[in-house]
Structure formats: C-alpha cells, structure tokens
Amino acid sequence: MYVATLISGPGALDGALVDSLRNAWGGGDVVWLSVDEAAEFNMPQVPGNRWDVWGDLQGQGVDLVVQPVAGRRKKMLLADMDSTMIQQECIDELAAEAGVGDRVADITARAMNGELNFEAAIDERVGLLAGLDAGVIQQVLETRIDLMPGGPVLLATMKANGAYAALVSGGFTAFTAAVAGQLGFDENRANTLLIEAGKLTGQVQRPILGRQAKVEALEDITARLGIAEADVMAVGDGANDLGMLGRAGTGVALHAKPSVQAECDVRVNHGDLTALLFVQGYGRADFVTPGG
C-alpha cells in the first residue's frame, strides 16, 4: 500500500484539488493532517503519471510525496545545517564580514550544485578568510544566522516520539555546536576552522567532512543505535548531501538545488521543515512545541 501526501504553505491547499487527485488515482479516504495545508490518501500502487502530476502541482505551490505506507515514521533524523536547518550558508556570512562575500558565495553556489569538488571548494573559500578575527564567528552567530522555519517543531516532535537527531555539516563545528544546542540535536559533526593567535589561519583541520563523511555518519550512528538505514529520514539541499539522501530510508531534498532534486524522490519546495512531519504521517495536532 502506498500513500500520497500533498503539502502546501499554510492555508494554501485546496480541498477540491486533493479530492480530484484522489479520484483520479483511485485512492481511499482523504485524511487532513492540517486543515488547508496537508492531506493524504492511501492507494494500491504508484501511479504512472506521478512526476507529471508533481510538476503540475509545483506550479500551484503544492508538494507531492508518494511513498510506501509501511515504515514511513522514522527513528532518526540526519540533517544538513546550512540552507537546511538554518537559512544561511555560514561560510558566506563569514566571508561577508571579511569583505570577500561575493567571491565566496559564488564558489559556494557552484559547489552545492555539484559543479565543483567540495573539498577543493572549501579549501579555496576558507583560504580567503585567513587573518579574520575569530571573534567574528560569535558575531555572525548572533547577528546573521536564522533558524529555518519549522525546525524547532520538527526536532521537538520527532524526539518526543523517540527519534534520535544528528546534525552533519560540511560547514564548521563552531556553528553546528550552537545550532545543535539550540534545536536539541543529540550530536553534531562538521569541519573545524583552524585558529592561531585569535585569528583564522585560512585552513581547515583534516580530514575534511564532505559527502562521504555524511554517509559514514549515517552508517556509524545507525550501527551504534541498532537501527536500520531504512529507519532514517535525511534532509539536505546540496550535492554533498546526495550520498546520505540516497542511503536513508527517506531522503528529503529541501528547497534544494535542481541537480539535487533530480536525484531525490521526496522534494519539499513549498512547505517548511514541518513538511517532514507530514511526510511521516504526523498531523498538526501531533506537533510538539519546544518548551511547551
């Protein structure tokens, strides 16, 4: 049995649209996970025109996810940080403070789209930060970094239901530690910026955490927890996330680069991070508010 989930921004999902698709695909009763925002229905097989319909719905501001019903609720969240759990790319924000923002942002965009080798790109970008006062890191954290909408509820809800959460980033530990602590991740992994005499050296500690390191994190953590990779929901937006997105039970391309979306069956372009809860079958009534 399969389930089709339709997700939009709050108040933007038309009931008539949901009913029309359910009827066309021979689905069962519609279940509203959140009024005018997320709905789903079961069906016996994956429709042959799935991606044509997906494309049509994108034009209407609606995401469509089709997946097996069995095993959809996950025991672990494995998340990228930059442009996934936060709205910015940390290295771009540091570069802006160093006066090389445009040069670094261009390299970042090309690397995340898979046009450049990730390790070489990070070396080139960090090299442009040489001599920057290390205190700027905290300044950037306090003034330039914003959480992605829906992230706190995603973490709180999954953890309240027994899931483990790991933040794995090609960015930097100075940022992942702060973001992980704020959101409630159980652990975080990232690269370490080298600092001498209070200034960035322009180098990154080896080995560089890139695409393969994220896959290794998936392998290591699932083995440690005694769960299957199928029990994991991974989320990311860049080319260096594709390894873990492909291995996880559910790999979510969140507001991702086109080249990344093309390789993922679960694509969220219109919802926020709470869409990952709807994909797992949680309704808004099931959401947990941090500290609530």
Side-chain angles (χ1 to χ4, degrees), residues 85-209:
M85 298 310 302
I86 61 173
Q87 297 182 43
Q88 293 79 22
E89 294 282 336
C90 290
I91 195 166
D92 292 0
E93 301 305 319
L94 287 173
E97 292 289 343
V100 291
D102 289 345
R103 289 173 65 187
V104 168
D106 176 65
I107 299 168
T108 299
R110 292 163 62 200
M112 291 302 96
N113 203 39
E115 299 170 22
L116 300 175
N117 174 272
F118 179 80
E119 286 77 8
I122 199 169
D123 275 337
E124 182 178 358
R125 288 175 292 168
V126 172
L128 294 170
L129 304 180
L132 186 66
D133 192 296
V136 171
I137 293 173
Q138 187 60 37
Q139 180 182 329
V140 167
L141 272 167
E142 293 175 356
T143 63
R144 287 180 171 267
I145 302 303
D146 304 295
L147 297 178
M148 193 68 77
V153 172
L154 169 64
L155 265 292
T157 303
M158 288 190 68
K159 287 177 64 67
N161 284 273
Y164 188 86
L167 187 65
V168 289
S169 174
F172 309 114
T173 53
F175 292 94
T176 58
V179 172
Q182 189 173 357
L183 286 171
F185 279 93
D186 295 293
E187 67 176 273
N188 68 94
R189 302 184 183 192
N191 294 300
T192 300
L193 289 168
L194 297 180
I195 298 171
E196 290 182 4
K199 297 190 181 295
L200 301 188
T201 67
Q203 296 180 312
V204 181
Q205 180 175 299
R206 265 36 189 183
I208 289 178
L209 190 155

Side-chain angles (χ1 to χ4, degrees), residues 23-73:
N23 292 336
W25 281 355
D29 293 341
V30 171
V31 176
W32 282 92
L33 300 171
S34 180
V35 176
D36 298 333
E37 181 182 17
E40 64 181 31
F41 55 83
N42 290 349
M43 55 193 175
Q45 60 189 16
V46 177
N49 64 342
R50 166 192 184 180
W51 291 113
D52 290 334
V53 172
W54 177 88
D56 290 341
L57 291 175
Q58 286 292 293
Q60 300 178 60
V62 177
D63 291 317
L64 168 68
V65 177
V66 176
Q67 61 181 324
V69 171
R72 64 190 293 215
R73 190 163 290 193

